[in-house]
């Protein structure tokens, strides 16, 4: 029971500290919340790109466009005999042209489409191995495969991740400084209480605890604001994004779903960690027991 | 209760205490006298482990303070009552809350807090002013509150660093007589002071310090720094 009474007093003291900080609280919370919102959106962008990459990467297919001078079926046989190839589907240029004309009202012009081979592979590891070999064949005009696109998206994702991480770290450092300054002011105003408590044998936990808890409360409030904002943005933008994507890549819209819970957990974890670290560093630096 | 063995302490090479040896028994009442800079406050700070000696050993109730880990310092201080010259009261708290503040921080339940605070305030005869704020009290009354706070946790040792420094002679005598009464209940009391009249009035043990060394240590003594009392 004694420990609960002490914890209760620590909570009361940290709430007094918050009251004493006044408007500084909102300054700290707004900076930390901005850092967390940024972090949340970066996480969301990278998660979306990751899902997109995985979704495309799982389509184990290479599209081969043949030269007009070449006959598709012998080429299909040749490629079908290669290691790792599961199936080769031939789409003759005439068939493709007819389909296209059915779908779209195309003017009477010469068929511009090439003979195409869709190659299904046994494993994604064969994609990058076979694609250059097939492209080097004399009869082949061009080769396309989703992994190539996936690789570019991955590069963009990595850039966003690293850039975002740097911005995040800079904002966290700024937040630590602001938390430090705010808590330092509270420590200064409570210098007499701290001195009395220390000389009367009150534990270090009781003396420093309220300042660490104050930092944690900053982190929690900031994470709450950041999570709320991200949830609102998601709720309003999700339909629009899906609608846009449906035009661009209809097969992907169903594969882009991922839960926001890990993002919220990360926001709270990071917010609490930054707040507690700020409180711990400042109380360690300015309270000499 | 308190034992100094060959204690040396210096600040940036300037000696504050030199080869100090001292023993104060359980329940004893002693004055630590000497001019400013004699080393009285240094001894006090060493006793409540605010500082460590450069060499030598200090024991408090059998505990070697040199070997006491930092995390156990609060436990040591809970066995001490410390009284200050400037009272160190919280101006925005009532007398009751000033005394209760530490008890609450130590996790004592509210029923016991009230019982112990009232008891401590009655020992120092200031129970009637429990709802007053320190700014509404005289210097002597404020020091009584400081003493009540020091004894509220029932410590076996009371350390007072110039407790009468801000008080008039009559009030000073009252405060020191109060501390002597507390000592008669079994508490070891050590008062650092350079207030000659109160030392001479009480005729208790007087340990005189000069330039970091004990020059006299006399039972039922008077304020004397030259070692010929």
């Amino acid at each position: 029971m004694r420990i609960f009474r002490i914890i209760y007093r620590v909570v009361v003291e940290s709430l007094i500290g918050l009251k004493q900080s006044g408007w500084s609280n909102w300054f700290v919370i707004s900076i930390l919340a901005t850092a967390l919102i940024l972090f949340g959106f970066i996480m969301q962008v990278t998660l979306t790109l990751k899902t997109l990459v995985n979704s495309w990467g799982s389509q184990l297919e290479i599209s081969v466009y043949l030269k007009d001078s070449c006959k598709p079926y012998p080429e299909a046989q040749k490629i079908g005999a290669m290691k790792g190839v599961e199936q080769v589907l031939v789409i003759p240029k005439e068939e493709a042209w007819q389909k296209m004309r059915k779908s779209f009202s195309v003017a009477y012009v010469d068929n511009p489409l090439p003979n195409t081979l869709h190659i299904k592979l046994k494993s994604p590891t064969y994609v990058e191995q076979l694609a250059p070999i097939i492209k080097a064949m004399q009869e082949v005009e061009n080769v396309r495969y989703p992994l190539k696109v996936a690789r570019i998206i991955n590069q963009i994702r990595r850039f966003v991740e690293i850039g975002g991480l740097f911005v995040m770290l800079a904002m966290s450092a700024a937040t630590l400084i602001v938390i430090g300054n705010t808590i330092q002011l509270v420590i200064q105003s409570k210098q007499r209480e701290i001195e009395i408590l220390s000389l009367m044998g009150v534990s270090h936990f009781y003396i420093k605890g309220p300042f660490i808890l104050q930092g944690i409360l900053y982190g929690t409030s900031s994470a709450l604001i950041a999570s709320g904002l991200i949830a609102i943005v998601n709720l309003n933008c999700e339909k629009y994004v899906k609608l846009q994507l449906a035009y661009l890549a209809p097969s992907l819209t169903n594969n882009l779903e991922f839960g926001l819970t890990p993002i919220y957990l990360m926001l709270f974890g990071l917010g609490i960690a930054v707040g507690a670290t700020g409180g711990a560093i400042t109380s360690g630096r300015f309270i000499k027991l | 209760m308190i034992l100094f063995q060959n204690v040396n302490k210096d600040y940036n090479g300037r000696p504050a205490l030199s080869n100090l040896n001292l023993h104060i028994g359980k329940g004893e009442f002693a004055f630590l006298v000497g001019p400013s800079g004699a080393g009285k406050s240094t001894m006090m700070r060493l006793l409540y482990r605010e500082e460590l000696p450069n060499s030598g050993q200090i024991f408090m109730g059998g505990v070697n303070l040199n070997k006491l880990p930092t995390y156990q310092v609060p436990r040591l201080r809970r066995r001490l009552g410390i009284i200050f010259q400037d009272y160190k009261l919280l101006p925005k708290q009532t007398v009751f809350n000033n005394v209760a503040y530490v008890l609450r921080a130590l996790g004592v339940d509210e029923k016991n807090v009230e019982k112990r605070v009232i008891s401590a305030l009655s020992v120092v005869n200031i129970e009637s002013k429990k709802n007053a704020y320190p700014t509404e009290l005289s210097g002597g009354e404020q020091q009584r509150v400081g003493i009540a706070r020091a004894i509220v946790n029932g410590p076996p040792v009371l350390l007072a660093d110039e407790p009468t420094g801000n008080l008039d002679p009559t009030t000073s005598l009252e405060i020191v007589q109060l501390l002597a009464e507390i000592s008669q209940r079994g508490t070891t009391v050590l008062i650092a002071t350079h207030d000659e009249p109160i030392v001479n009035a009480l005729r208790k043990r007087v340990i005189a310090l000069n330039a970091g060394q004990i020059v006299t240590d006399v039972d039922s003594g008077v304020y004397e720094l030259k070692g010929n009392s």
Side-chain angles (χ1 to χ4, degrees), chain A residues 118-147:
Chain A
H118 287 306
I119 303 164
K120 280 195 175 170
L121 301 168
K122 288 174 183 166
S123 143
T125 51
Y126 290 112
V127 177
E128 292 197 74
Q129 194 182 320
L130 285 176
I133 298 171
I134 295 168
K135 198 180 178 184
M137 290 167 78
Q138 243 187 350
E139 299 79 6
V140 173
E141 182 82 48
N142 200 6
V143 166
R144 277 201 184 165
Y145 52 99
L147 273 182

Side-chain angles (χ1 to χ4, degrees), chain B residues 147-190:
Chain B
I147 295 170
R149 186 183 57 196
I151 61 168
V152 75
N153 211 20
V157 179
L158 266 185
L159 303 176
D161 195 359
E162 303 284 0
T164 58
N166 293 346
L167 304 175
D168 61 76
T170 315
T171 316
S172 295
L173 197 60
E174 278 174 24
I175 291 295
V176 175
Q177 273 168 341
L178 178 62
L179 290 171
E181 278 170 33
I182 292 167
S183 168
Q184 278 166 4
R185 299 175 189 195
T187 306
T188 306
V189 177
L190 180 63

Side-chain angles (χ1 to χ4, degrees), chain A residues 80-100:
Chain A
M82 287 178 171
K83 194 186 168 192
V85 176
E86 194 176 277
Q87 192 191 0
V88 180
L89 185 71
V90 179
I91 316 252
K93 57 188 282 181
E94 294 78 17
E95 191 184 318
W97 183 236
Q98 266 179 6
K99 267 190 186 174
M100 196 174 172

Side-chain angles (χ1 to χ4, degrees), chain A residues 2 5 192 195-196 198 201, chain B residues 77-78 88-89 106-107:
Chain A
R2 196 181 186 92
R5 282 195 291 270
R192 202 171 182 85
E195 190 187 1
I196 292 167
S198 167
Chain B
R77 290 181 181 170
R78 283 200 285 275
K88 291 199 193 301
L89 300 178
L106 293 171

Side-chain angles (χ1 to χ4, degrees), chain B residues 17-32:
Chain B
L17 294 176
S18 303
N19 199 31
L20 196 107
N21 287 286
L22 176 69
H23 176 256
I24 297 171
K26 193 177 174 208
E28 235 186 298
F29 183 103
F31 285 111
L32 192 60

